[in-house]
Amino acid sequence: MNELEHNQQYLKFGSLSRIADLQRCSFTIRAVPRKEWDGGDYVVGRYLGSKCGSNIDFLELCDGTLHTLEHNDIVVGALGERCATQEVVGTWKLIDHSSPHPVMHHICGSGMFGIETSRSNRHKLEAATFRYEGHCIREDKKVCMKDFAPNVAKAKATPNCPIVLIVGSSMSCGKTVTGKIIIDIIKNGLGMKKVIGAKFSGGGYRHDTNEMLEAGASNAIDFVDAGYSSTVMPAKDYRELALPKMLGLLSEFEADCIVAEIGASPLEPYNGVEVLKELAGYPKLFLVLCATDAYAALGLCSALKAESLDFQPDLVCGMAANNSAGIALIKKLTGLPALNLGGGSDSDELQKICRNYKQLYWLLFKILVFKDKVDRLDKIGFVWKFEK
């Protein structure tokens, strides 16, 4: 595919390209020597299908909607790395460059290309396969995600507002649902007009920040906005490059409150632990732990303490707190307050859920509005008293 053949209307743009101008402005598609490749490069792949041929593969588009891939679809995405404990592990660094059209795998549905090295058995069996057609080129230079990262004036300036930080023991433990509920309560219950959502780490999907917007956030950002396809990188790079850009972007919003999520879990290669280190001691931090069960909650607290982090959540939610038995076990093992924010179908269950929403409402009110006047013991004591 060369410049004369290139036409944007026939291309499918993965959501990793949402920060770029590739859909509006012309570019050439040309193969680049392998030694010049790097994570975050915008590349073009031709969809060949999956090995077994029976899978239905999807591409997340720039608006977060899903496109069903068809044979020979031409997709614009980016090189990246992924270490999803319950889905796919892969990296762009293993793409074989001996062929003029190397094979790539779709290792994240947002248009992230690499070679899959491991896959959870709970995930679908075959990787979507693409043929490398070339890099996106302008003025004889690669077009990269970092080209569209903003120059933030307040880089690494910690936002001067309350931050609700949601940390999980793993993927799929209830972080997103909890975050949506908290955003709704802060905006519609506490009356804070400018609530901003953020995802500090993970693999880049648009639907994560879209869900924050649907819950009522005025805006939502993640590491893609800072110019990265994922946050799998050396800790030093994340700490000195990626995180400062995200904190700077958040500072510029001048928010009333920020509700942020650490993707996956803190000690995975996504560098979530660096966020905890950066925000340690921040006086306006409300820390929510989501876990799959009470033992996972205890394990994460213990693991982070082993890293010399003073990790003391204000509240435990998620799958671990799905019912009274789970809540009781959380309190027994960790001594932490817990709330069930899950859904229910019958009227008795709905009444219980509404009661828990009210508990969370008052806890957030006491901590976010009067943060400087409340210490940790006061907060926990308030929850116990209110539950009784």
Side-chain angles (χ1 to χ4, degrees), residues 14-15 58-61 66 82 106-112 204-205:
S15 61
F58 297 96
L59 172 71
E60 184 187 64
L61 303 176
L66 294 180
R82 194 177 185 209
H106 196 202
I107 59 175
C108 187
S110 52
M112 185 190 298
Y205 275 112

Side-chain angles (χ1 to χ4, degrees), residues 3-236:
E3 189 171 12
L4 292 177
E5 295 171 334
H6 164 240
N7 189 328
Q8 276 107 326
Q9 67 176 312
Y10 298 114
L11 299 176
K12 308 298 180 185
F13 291 84
S15 61
L16 290 179
S17 67
R18 61 183 169 83
I19 61 171
D21 61 1
L22 296 173
Q23 295 186 67
R24 303 186 304 274
C25 304
S26 64
F27 58 91
T28 305
I29 301 171
R30 190 181 73 210
V32 168
R34 179 63 174 76
K35 63 182 180 181
E36 298 178 19
W37 292 20
D38 201 357
D41 289 358
Y42 281 121
V43 298
V44 177
R46 183 184 296 272
Y47 177 62
L48 304 178
S50 55
K51 292 179 183 177
C52 66
S54 61
N55 286 335
I56 297 176
D57 296 309
F58 297 96
L59 172 71
E60 184 187 64
L61 303 176
C62 291
D63 62 359
T65 58
L66 294 180
H67 165 73
T68 302
L69 288 167
E70 298 179 1
H71 189 69
N72 281 330
D73 269 353
I74 308 296
V75 172
V76 177
L79 300 178
E81 296 188 64
R82 194 177 185 209
C83 292
T85 57
Q86 296 181 24
E87 293 187 9
V88 172
V89 179
T91 175
W92 67 270
K93 296 175 182 177
L94 295 179
I95 296 175
D96 182 9
H97 59 283
S98 59
S99 165
H101 292 289
V103 168
M104 310 182 294
H105 294 146
H106 196 202
I107 59 175
C108 187
S110 52
M112 185 190 298
F113 293 125
I115 292 295
E116 180 183 304
T117 60
S118 183
R119 172 177 288 261
S120 167
N121 59 12
R122 63 183 288 177
H123 205 51
K124 64 180 228 175
L125 297 179
E126 299 291 343
T129 303
F130 286 75
R131 186 178 73 192
Y132 169 76
E133 297 290 333
H135 273 61
C136 300
I137 303 292
R138 278 195 190 130
E139 298 179 356
D140 210 33
K141 294 180 181 179
K142 297 183 302 177
V143 183
C144 309
M145 293 183 69
K146 64 183 180 182
D147 298 338
F148 303 94
N151 293 319
V152 182
K154 302 177 182 178
K156 206 174 179 178
T158 304
N160 185 28
C161 69
I163 299 175
V164 177
L165 183 62
I166 303 169
V167 183
S169 62
S170 68
M171 298 174 65
S172 303
C173 63
K175 296 188 295 291
T176 301
V177 171
T178 298
K180 291 170 67 175
I181 291 168
I182 290 175
I183 288 171
D184 178 63
I185 290 173
I186 291 173
K187 184 150 190 177
N188 299 316
L190 300 183
M192 293 187 175
K193 295 182 179 179
K194 201 170 187 181
V195 181
I196 304 297
K199 186 171 183 179
F200 283 124
S201 59
Y205 275 112
R206 181 60 185 266
H207 69 251
D208 293 326
T209 50
N210 274 359
E211 293 206 38
M212 294 177 177
L213 295 172
E214 290 169 6
S218 301
N219 213 320
I221 67 143
D222 66 2
F223 42 88
V224 174
D225 295 289
Y228 299 92
S229 56
S230 85
T231 58
V232 178
M233 63 183 75
K236 185 175 185 291

Side-chain angles (χ1 to χ4, degrees), residues 6 17 45 54 60 177 202 209 218 221 239 242 249 260 273 276 304-306 319 322 330 361 371 381:
H6 164 240
S17 67
S54 61
E60 184 187 64
V177 171
T209 50
S218 301
I221 67 143
R239 189 169 55 247
L249 282 169
V273 69
L276 292 174
L304 290 172
K305 285 179 181 176
M319 294 171 63
N322 272 345
I330 290 168
Y361 174 96
K371 182 73 183 185

Side-chain angles (χ1 to χ4, degrees), residues 316-376:
V316 180
C317 295
M319 294 171 63
N322 272 345
N323 60 26
S324 59
I327 290 171
L329 189 56
I330 290 168
K331 291 174 183 176
K332 179 179 179 179
L333 294 178
T334 69
L336 296 171
L339 289 179
N340 174 14
L341 301 179
S345 56
D346 61 75
S347 59
D348 288 342
E349 183 63 22
L350 285 174
Q351 287 178 8
K352 293 176 184 177
I353 300 304
C354 289
R355 178 174 176 273
N356 284 332
Y357 278 21
K358 188 176 180 181
Q359 290 173 6
L360 181 56
Y361 174 96
W362 283 109
L363 182 61
L364 286 166
F365 179 79
K366 190 172 178 72
I367 294 171
L368 298 183
V369 178
F370 300 108
K371 182 73 183 185
D372 296 334
K373 301 176 183 177
V374 181
D375 59 30
R376 186 171 300 278

